[in-house]
Amino acid sequence: LRVQGATLEGFIAIADPMRAEVERELALPASRVSVIPDPALSRCELQQFSASRTARNSQTGCCFLTIGRFAAQKNQILLLEAFARHARPEDTLVLAGDGPERERLRERANALGLRSRVRFVGHTDDVRVLYAEADVFVLSSHYEGVPAVILEALAAGLPIAATNCCVSMEWLTGYGQFGVVVPPCDPETLGLAMNATRHLRPDHTAMLHLAASFTLESSSQLYLSKLTALVSETHRRRREKMLGGVRVWPGDGV
C-alpha cells in the first residue's frame, strides 16, 4: 500500500471515516486524499427502497435479513450461531445470496435445529421485496469497505445489527441511532445486538438522507470534477516544466 502511496498522485476514500485510514495505511498527506461516497445506488433505486418500507407486512415474530455472497468473508456461520442462541421461537432468518459456503451453511443451520426457521432464497435479482418483508437487517462480515447492503437497508428504513467490520460502520449506523454494532466473531454479542435492534425505531428521514449521499448521480459529478481538476493541474505542471527548460538568448525579443 505504501508503494502505491509513493507512486500515485491522488486517492479516493469512499466514505468520510475512511479518509484517516487511507492516509495512515498509505502514508499520505491529507492533501492527496479526497472523499467521494461510494456510488452504490441510483436516485431511482433510492426512492424504490424507501417506498418499500410502506409495503412491509406486519407479522408475528421478527424477520431478520442478510444479503451477500456465501463466502468466508461474510461469515454467515456467525449469524446462524447468533440466531440459534438468541432468537425467539417465532422469529425467522432469511439469507439471500449464493456462493461456495452454501452447503456448509445449510448443514450448519440443520445441525442447529433451524431448518424450519431459516430460509435460503438463493441469488435474487430484485431484493426490494426482501427488504420490504424484513424487520431487521444483519451483517456478520469479518471485513468490508462500505457495504452496499447497509446503504440499501438505510434507504429501506431497516434497523441494522452489524459487526464492526469496517472503519465506517459506526458512522453508517448513526452511532447507535440506526443500529447496533458489535465486535466481529462473537455470536453471543451479535445475538444480543439482533434482539436489541428489533426494538429500535430509527428516523427513516435521517437514514434516507445518509443513504442519499451514496448515489451514482451525486458521486459521478464529484468524480468528474476531481478528474477535471487533476487534468488541469497536470497540464499546468507540464507547461511549467517546458518553460523552465527553455533557454532565452539576447535579441530574441522575449
Side-chain angles (χ1 to χ4, degrees):
L1 287 175
R2 295 195 173 186
V3 169
Q4 294 181 43
T7 56
L8 302 179
E9 291 191 32
F11 293 83
I12 303 296
I14 57 175
D16 192 64
M18 295 180 72
R19 179 197 287 270
E21 184 179 45
V22 171
E23 293 171 6
R24 182 180 67 252
E25 297 298 332
L26 280 74
L28 295 169
S31 60
R32 291 174 60 197
V33 181
S34 302
V35 176
I36 300 180
D38 184 25
L41 298 167
S42 68
R43 285 178 184 160
C44 180
E45 289 171 329
L46 186 76
Q47 294 168 356
Q48 290 170 342
F49 278 108
S50 178
S52 73
R53 178 174 181 265
T54 61
R56 193 167 306 138
N57 298 320
S58 60
Q59 56 189 321
T60 302
C62 183
C63 178
F64 296 98
L65 170 68
T66 192
I67 300 173
R69 291 177 297 109
F70 292 168
Q73 174 203 342
K74 304 298 183 178
N75 201 15
Q76 288 99 342
I77 287 286
L78 175 74
L79 174 53
L80 292 174
E81 299 278 356
F83 183 77
R85 292 188 187 200
H86 288 282
R88 300 172 184 174
E90 64 273 18
D91 293 342
T92 56
L93 172 63
V94 176
L95 294 93
D98 204 352
E101 295 271 297
R102 179 182 58 216
E103 293 308 314
R104 179 171 177 247
L105 291 170
R106 288 183 179 274
E107 291 172 2
R108 188 59 185 148
N110 292 338
L112 291 167
L114 302 175
R115 184 191 297 267
S116 64
R117 299 165 59 201
V118 174
R119 290 173 51 213
F120 290 88
V121 298
H123 175 78
T124 306
D125 289 329
D126 186 355
V127 295
R128 287 174 295 173
V129 173
L130 298 178
Y131 284 100
E133 295 176 347
D135 298 296
V136 171
F137 189 85
V138 189
L139 186 69
S140 54
S141 298
H142 285 297
Y143 59 90
E144 293 284 352
V146 174
V149 289
I150 294 296
L151 303 177
E152 291 172 353
L154 289 170
L158 277 182
I160 299 160
T163 54
N164 197 14
C165 53
C166 67
V167 71
S168 303
M169 190 55 66
E170 292 278 7
W171 178 75
L172 286 168
T173 53
Y175 299 101
Q177 296 180 69
F178 312 142
V180 180
V181 177
V182 297
C185 303
D186 187 344
E188 186 69 20
T189 56
L190 181 58
L192 291 171
M194 291 165 66
N195 267 338
T197 305
R198 74 198 301 156
H199 300 296
L200 281 181
R201 298 294 181 268
D203 183 342
H204 183 226
T205 300
M207 297 173 84
L208 191 62
H209 179 75
L210 178 56
S213 62
F214 290 87
T215 60
L216 176 64
E217 290 83 355
S218 174
S219 293
S220 62
Q221 292 303 310
L222 294 174
Y223 270 110
L224 182 60
S225 176
K226 183 66 181 176
L227 291 170
T228 300
L230 180 62
V231 170
S232 297
E233 177 64 15
T234 300
H235 286 170
R236 184 188 66 79
R237 290 178 184 175
R238 286 178 179 173
R239 286 196 300 271
E240 288 182 351
K241 186 176 181 179
M242 291 174 63
L243 291 173
V246 173
R247 296 182 64 183
V248 180
W249 298 94
D252 281 348
V254 179

